[in-house]
Amino acid sequence: MARFLAEAVVVLHFAVLAFLLAGGFLAWRWRWVLYPHLALAAWAVLSLAVPTVCPLTAWENHFRAAAGMPVLETGFIDHYIDGVWYPESASVAVQLVLGAVVVVSWIGLVAGARTSRRVSVQ
């Protein structure tokens, strides 16, 4: 069961990262999504600025240890993404591009809100 839970946390972690990337765009349709997305974006910026352990990584390590599996010596992103999906040397560039995608989603959200206000006033 512990191995299953460790793997479930990995899936959840990937889902959280997908939401971090797409949440701003989802907020174009469902405005309430913006609030959890902003909280997650703040956590992401904090974790890049200050070395922190993500609670999901801590859970994964707990379940991995309980299953007799080796724990992650590095964080989730370092283990599953950096050097796997792109070269580690591109890490900063990838972070900047992904951050830009999030900012573009927020700009689109604000632009869409302004457009809908103008349409409803007319």
Side-chain angles (χ1 to χ4, degrees), residues 4-89:
F4 170 79
L5 292 172
E7 292 173 359
V9 172
V10 170
V11 170
L12 176 63
H13 216 149
F14 274 112
V16 166
L17 290 177
F19 178 71
L20 177 61
L21 187 59
F25 295 108
L26 293 173
W28 292 11
R29 174 73 171 97
W30 301 287
R31 299 284 180 188
W32 64 269
V33 170
L34 180 62
Y35 300 107
H37 188 255
L38 286 171
L40 185 58
W43 171 259
V45 170
L46 176 69
S47 70
L48 290 173
V50 179
T52 56
V53 176
C54 176
L56 293 175
T57 302
W59 284 357
E60 180 185 352
N61 279 337
H62 170 77
F63 293 127
R64 288 173 71 92
M69 300 166 62
V71 298
L72 301 181
E73 293 183 20
T74 59
F76 177 86
I77 290 178
D78 291 334
H79 184 80
Y80 292 106
I81 298 175
D82 280 352
V84 177
W85 289 13
Y86 52 82
E88 286 185 45
S89 60

